Amino acid sequence: MFSISQTIAERKIQEAMAEGSLPDLSHWKDKPLPQDESLAKVAPDLRLAFKLLKNAGYIPEGLVLHKEILHTEELFRHASDEQDKLRHLRRISVLRTKMETCHGRSIHLDEDGPYFSRVVEQLNTPAK
C-alpha cells in the first residue's frame, strides 16, 4: 500500500516516462553507484551516518576548519603588507590547533614540547 506521497511520486515518474523527459540511465543498470571520495577516509561502519549528515547539509567541524585554513593560506599568499601576513599566519596557527584538538590530538605544553616557548613568548609580548 502506497502512501499519498509515494502515489504522487509514482504518477509523476510514469508521466515523465510517457513524455520521454527522463534522462537515459541505462548505462547504470547493474552497476554500483560511484564512490563518494569525501568518505574514503571514513571508517566503513560510519560512512552511512556521515552520508546522511552530509545530505542533510551538516558539515563536520574538521572539514569547516580545513576549508578555512585553505582560504587563510590563500589570503596569506596574496597579502602584500607584513602585518597582514603575520595576522594570517597567526590565524592559520590557531585554526590548525583547533583542528588538531577536534581530531583528538592533544597539545603538549610541557617545557620540552614544541609549543611551550611560543606560549611563553606570547604571554610576555605586550599587547598592541
Side-chain angles (χ1 to χ4, degrees):
M1 178 108 196
F2 285 139
S3 70
I4 188 76
S5 60
Q6 288 173 322
T7 305
I8 293 171
E10 194 63 35
R11 187 179 307 142
K12 294 276 187 187
I13 292 169
Q14 294 300 327
E15 288 172 8
M17 286 172 61
E19 294 171 3
S21 61
L22 286 179
D24 180 26
L25 301 176
S26 61
H27 60 281
W28 286 107
K29 186 175 181 174
D30 298 328
K31 292 184 181 176
L33 292 174
Q35 293 293 322
D36 189 351
E37 294 300 321
S38 65
L39 298 175
K41 295 183 180 179
V42 176
D45 57 330
L46 296 175
R47 286 186 185 149
L48 180 60
F50 271 75
K51 188 166 181 121
L52 287 171
L53 290 171
K54 180 181 172 188
N55 290 344
Y58 173 78
I59 300 173
E61 184 179 6
L63 184 59
V64 172
L65 290 170
H66 179 69
K67 286 182 178 182
E68 198 169 342
I69 289 170
L70 293 177
H71 176 71
T72 308
E73 286 173 345
E74 189 67 27
L75 291 174
F76 171 76
R77 279 192 284 280
H78 292 91
S80 57
D81 182 29
E82 291 300 318
Q83 290 295 330
D84 283 343
K85 286 187 175 193
L86 183 60
R87 186 171 45 86
H88 293 312
L89 280 176
R90 286 182 177 160
R91 178 91 177 128
I92 290 168
S93 176
V94 168
L95 291 170
R96 285 186 176 161
T97 302
K98 280 185 181 180
M99 195 160 83
E100 286 176 2
T101 57
C102 178
H103 291 293
R105 297 183 193 121
S106 62
I107 302 171
H108 301 288
L109 292 178
D110 55 348
E111 290 185 36
D112 297 330
Y115 296 105
F116 183 78
S117 60
R118 286 195 250 169
V119 171
V120 171
E121 182 182 321
Q122 284 292 327
L123 291 173
N124 292 331
T125 304
K128 293 181 182 180

